[in-house]
Amino acid sequence: MRFLVFASRNSKEIVRDPLNLAFGFGFPIVLLLMLTAIQANVPVSLFRIEELAPGMAVFGLASISLFCGMLIAKDRSTSFLMRLFTSPLSASDFILGYTSPMLPIAVMQCAICFAVSIFLGLAMNVNVLVAIAVLIPAVVLFIGIGLMAGTVLTDRQVGVMVGAGLTNACAWLSGIWFAPGLVGGWFESVAYVLPFVYAVNTARAAIVGDYAAIFPQLWWVIGYAVVIMTTAIFIFRKKMDNDDM
């Protein structure tokens, strides 16, 4: 259980960066409030809370990739990670130490998003808990993206590629604001190759209690999560074995 000490250190590092933490938790909530206010003042159904809440929960998870990526990249840039390689920690300890603090943060983020949505009109029932549960594979996916980015990019590059690139990809290609089919063409094709739209659809199916529609969508997210996390772990171990951090 040596990784627990390292995980505790990483949790403290995340908390010591209140600006990124506030952005990760607060920005999806601000968007949720703004779009709900817009919906209340238009005569057509644009942003139904049952569709908007799951979308915002998935959108917020992009910040988990940023937290994870920035933490690893900063440890690499300061040679802190290289110094730790002289400790008894194994590659598995490092990977668990970086990823395990992100899981409760991500689940808490989803829970807060749905809690705010309940005050905005979302039905409070067991479907909310099911929606949080089916988002766990998406959580693993975003953590894997952060682990991979932090291992191969500098902290500045992580800020650009993950903070801007991933956030925008998740926002526009996940069907949060509009169905990709409304644009069609290459946009729709790209959206349905990536996992983000499937994560949103899975959570939306859970929220309305359409459990039969969950797994056709969820398998895509699980598949991506396994591939991305496995690739991230392989790259991390490879660079660690070659002292190329």
Side-chain angles (χ1 to χ4, degrees):
M1 305 298 283
R2 293 169 300 190
F3 80 91
L4 290 176
V5 176
F6 185 51
S8 176
R9 173 263 175 188
N10 292 332
S11 299
K12 293 175 183 176
E13 286 297 314
I14 296 170
V15 173
R16 288 194 186 109
D17 192 358
L19 186 61
N20 278 337
L21 202 61
F23 178 83
F25 277 84
F27 188 53
I29 301 303
V30 171
L31 287 177
L32 188 62
L33 294 172
M34 289 178 58
L35 294 174
T36 303
I38 292 173
Q39 177 61 68
N41 289 281
V42 295
V44 295
S45 180
L46 291 176
F47 305 114
R48 294 175 59 248
I49 193 64
E50 292 82 8
E51 296 183 354
L52 186 60
M56 286 296 100
V58 173
F59 176 69
L61 291 178
S63 63
I64 298 300
S65 296
L66 181 62
F67 293 159
C68 188
M70 289 292 289
L71 180 60
I72 298 172
K74 285 181 179 178
D75 285 349
R76 288 174 52 234
S77 66
T78 59
S79 298
F80 175 75
L81 195 55
M82 287 294 293
R83 293 195 297 271
L84 281 181
F85 286 169
T86 61
S87 72
L89 291 172
S90 65
S92 298
D93 291 329
F94 281 108
I95 292 165
L96 287 171
Y98 278 122
T99 59
S100 57
M102 305 298 166
L103 285 169
I105 292 175
V107 172
M108 187 186 306
Q109 190 176 50
C110 292
I112 291 173
C113 187
F114 284 119
V116 172
S117 299
I118 289 172
F119 285 101
L120 297 175
L122 184 68
M124 184 173 61
N125 51 41
V126 71
N127 291 339
V128 174
L129 298 179
V130 175
I132 294 174
V134 300
L135 283 176
I136 297 299
V139 169
V140 175
L141 169 65
F142 281 99
I143 291 174
I145 293 173
L147 178 61
M148 190 187 310
T151 303
V152 301
L153 302 176
T154 66
D155 53 347
R156 188 169 298 180
Q157 290 170 334
V158 169
V160 174
M161 297 297 293
V162 178
L166 179 64
T167 301
N168 277 287
C170 185
W172 296 109
L173 296 169
S174 62
I176 297 174
W177 328 110
F178 54 86
L182 292 176
V183 179
W186 66 266
F187 184 91
E188 182 181 10
S189 300
V190 171
Y192 282 102
V193 166
L194 297 175
F196 310 122
V197 67
Y198 298 105
V200 172
N201 289 343
T202 297
R204 283 174 175 171
I207 280 293
V208 298
D210 187 7
Y211 296 159
I214 290 176
F215 266 97
Q217 308 281 339
L218 189 58
W219 286 125
W220 277 85
V221 185
I222 292 173
Y224 261 95
V226 170
V227 170
I228 294 295
M229 182 59 79
T230 301
T231 304
I233 291 172
F234 174 79
I235 294 173
F236 187 93
R237 285 179 178 271
K238 192 73 173 177
K239 291 178 74 70
M240 182 177 175
D241 291 341
N242 295 336
D243 290 331
D244 190 26
M245 284 293 189

